[in-house]
Amino acid sequence: MERIYFDNGSTSFPKAPGVSDAVKSLLDNGAFNINRGGYEEAYAISEQVLETREMLCRMFDFGKPRNVVFTPSITYSLNYLIKGYLKEGDHVLCSSMEHNAVTRPLVQMEKRGVAFESVPCFEDGTMDPKEFEKMIRPETKAVIMSCASNVCGTMLPVKEVGRICHERGIAYIVDTAQIAGTFPISMKECHIDGLTFTGHKSLLGPQGVGGMLISDSLAKETEPLIAGGTGSVSHLEEMPDFMPDRFESGTMNLPGIIGLRAALLYHKGLKEGELARHELELAMRFLRGVEEIKGTRPVGLKTPENRAAIVSVDFVNDDNARVAFELESRYGIMTRVGLHCAPRAHKTLGTYPQGTVRFSFGGGNSLREVDFCLDALKKILEK
Ligand SMILES: Cc1ncc(COP(=O)(O)O)c(C=O)c1O
């Protein structure tokens, strides 16, 4: 049976051309530790790691490659910033569409005296920046918000919220998990102080590598959660205060970073907006098709503007888990069912507690696969 992968919101497949070769070549030829080995081979790898930081800076319109920090994933980056920056008495705002990578660390911080509130979004996942502005308090220290919902793809008003944060002197941290690589985002234009990313979703790199791009002031005010060897100023028992060493202790995930470098080179070679156009064409064809099938309730925006290529459907007369199971077992179509680690988003969209079946499209998918899936759904729902 043919297999069709519609779970790119979880992790992308296939990865960018060149990623697996780059990882294999590094491991085969010596993944020598950088910042430690004083030999030519290690310096050559250092150079590639620096290039990766520079490419990320270009992608996200940021001027400081040294302030690009590698972490195991966006979940780690968000934890580093949320737990390292916030203190007792601080107030934080996020949206009602966040992933647990934002809400769970915030709930943990609540127990340490940090107050947090989520700005209510509308039933299609959109947010009114004016509602957000009304919830700012004198003690609001940070806003932490995702660029696009991992449940339905709806984008949040990242630029408008950034402008308000900038005017009010509030630190602004964004989660780019569902857009990085596919949709452009500028740290400068959006006044972002901390941009977090994960390498394995739309960036098309391997798992186990993510990171954050942070302003000098955010870096200075954030306590490094993880301390250890950096290969620099080894006579000091305190963490270095310079970047990126302040936040990069321990041996780095070089295969992950070199794989991500190959993925970024691939993105560099694409025409602007090429990936987004293709993915949105698939998402819209699927959405239009699903809307015509009885017993379906697709959630989120119904037009291609301000959305990523994620379509979530509640099969109102059926068990969502059964539909997902039949799609996979009878037709080889891989999706994700449930709450997708974002319970607040489902409460906003009106799909809690049953969740949805999520179809998330990637560059490797085709219109033929979308049509095949729509046919399969019709047959499954006929019973
Ligand atoms: C919006 C959003 N934020 C954060 C994450 C967490 O990503 P990771 O598991 O790579 O840390 C995800 C993953 O699904 C996500 O969709």
Side-chain angles (χ1 to χ4, degrees):
M1 190 187 354
E2 185 190 4
R3 304 288 288 170
I4 296 178
Y5 187 70
F6 284 161
D7 198 15
N8 289 277
S10 171
T11 196
S12 53
F13 178 77
K15 298 302 179 191
V19 170
S20 58
D21 285 347
V23 175
K24 184 176 182 331
S25 161
L26 179 83
L27 293 171
D28 286 350
N29 295 307
F32 305 110
N33 271 340
I34 62 165
N35 305 338
R36 285 133 171 96
Y39 31 83
E40 207 179 294
E41 288 84 346
Y43 293 140
I45 298 170
S46 284
E47 197 55 41
Q48 296 193 356
V49 172
L50 176 61
E51 273 169 33
T52 313
R53 296 188 208 273
E54 287 167 348
M55 282 193 278
L56 287 162
C57 278
R58 276 195 290 280
M59 177 172 272
F60 299 124
D61 192 17
F62 182 59
K64 298 204 160 187
R66 278 183 168 277
N67 289 26
V68 176
V69 174
F70 291 109
T71 68
S73 74
I74 194 167
T75 298
Y76 281 74
S77 306
L78 288 162
N79 272 266
Y80 282 143
L81 292 176
I82 291 170
K83 294 176 181 171
Y85 180 64
L86 298 172
K87 312 252 167 353
E88 195 178 337
D90 290 343
H91 173 250
V92 191
L93 286 172
C94 65
S95 81
S96 71
M97 293 301 289
E98 300 307 319
H99 187 277
N100 277 339
V102 170
T103 38
R104 283 186 172 167
L106 284 176
V107 165
Q108 285 184 322
M109 291 307 283
E110 239 179 350
K111 294 183 190 124
R112 296 186 213 160
V114 171
F116 99 87
E117 288 178 288
S118 49
V119 180
C121 294
F122 299 109
E123 221 193 20
D124 57 7
T126 53
M127 182 210 269
D128 179 355
K130 290 198 196 83
E131 285 308 305
F132 153 76
E133 197 165 10
K134 281 189 209 152
M135 291 175 71
I136 295 175
R137 298 190 203 160
E139 67 275 22
T140 305
K141 180 88 181 290
V143 170
I144 304 162
M145 202 172 82
S146 59
C147 297
S149 160
N150 68 308
V151 176
C152 61
T154 301
M155 289 184 185
L156 289 168
V158 176
K159 199 167 168 182
E160 291 87 331
V161 168
R163 185 185 49 73
I164 298 166
C165 287
H166 182 65
E167 284 167 9
R168 304 285 195 105
I170 299 167
Y172 187 36
I173 296 166
V174 303
D175 164 345
T176 66
Q178 294 295 340
I179 63 147
T182 309
F183 297 91
I185 177 151
S186 157
M187 283 184 75
K188 281 196 200 111
E189 269 179 35
C190 301
H191 300 288
I192 296 166
D193 299 291
L195 180 145
T196 60
F197 69 91
T198 207
H200 68 103
K201 295 184 193 277
S202 42
L203 279 174
L204 307 176
Q207 278 102 335
V209 64
M212 52 191 189
L213 284 68
I214 50 180
S215 67
D216 282 334
S217 60
L218 186 60
K220 207 166 141 216
E221 288 178 49
T222 301
E223 198 55 42
L225 278 193
I226 305 296
T230 55
S232 56
V233 290
S234 294
H235 61 291
L236 294 180
E237 291 189 342
E238 293 270 335
M239 281 300 284
D241 58 6
F242 51 85
M243 296 292 285
D245 298 30
R246 184 168 164 75
F247 296 103
E248 281 183 351
S249 41
T251 297
M252 297 179 82
N253 175 6
L254 292 173
I257 296 170
I258 297 304
L260 178 62
R261 175 178 176 271
L264 293 168
L265 284 170
Y266 169 75
H267 282 287
K268 215 169 122 187
L270 293 176
K271 284 199 210 91
E272 211 183 297
E274 187 178 347
L275 215 46
R277 266 192 302 281
H278 173 68
E279 291 181 12
L280 286 174
E281 186 186 8
L282 303 177
M284 292 318 291
R285 168 97 140 225
F286 181 72
L287 186 57
R288 296 286 170 257
V290 159
E291 281 171 335
E292 282 174 16
I293 305 175
K294 246 178 56 199
T296 61
R297 185 189 158 226
V299 293
L301 292 169
K302 302 294 181 292
T303 47
E305 293 79 31
N306 297 322
R307 58 144 44 250
I310 298 171
V311 181
S312 244
V313 185
D314 185 11
F315 293 91
V316 286
N317 302 324
D318 225 302
D319 176 5
N320 288 331
R322 181 190 82 89
V323 176
F325 174 77
E326 300 261 323
L327 278 172
E328 201 268 337
S329 57
R330 282 170 57 190
Y331 300 97
I333 299 168
M334 292 173 263
T335 61
R336 182 169 171 190
V337 63
L339 294 176
H340 322 297
C341 300
R344 277 179 201 234
H346 284 278
K347 286 177 187 165
T348 307
L349 300 164
T351 45
Y352 187 87
Q354 74 275 23
T356 53
V357 182
R358 183 181 73 176
F359 304 80
S360 45
F361 305 98
N365 293 128
S366 65
L367 288 170
R368 186 193 60 78
E369 289 177 335
V370 168
D371 292 343
F372 179 80
C373 180
L374 288 167
D375 273 348
L377 277 176
K378 281 179 203 148
K379 287 179 195 141
I380 291 167
L381 296 178
E382 272 166 16
K383 294 195 189 139

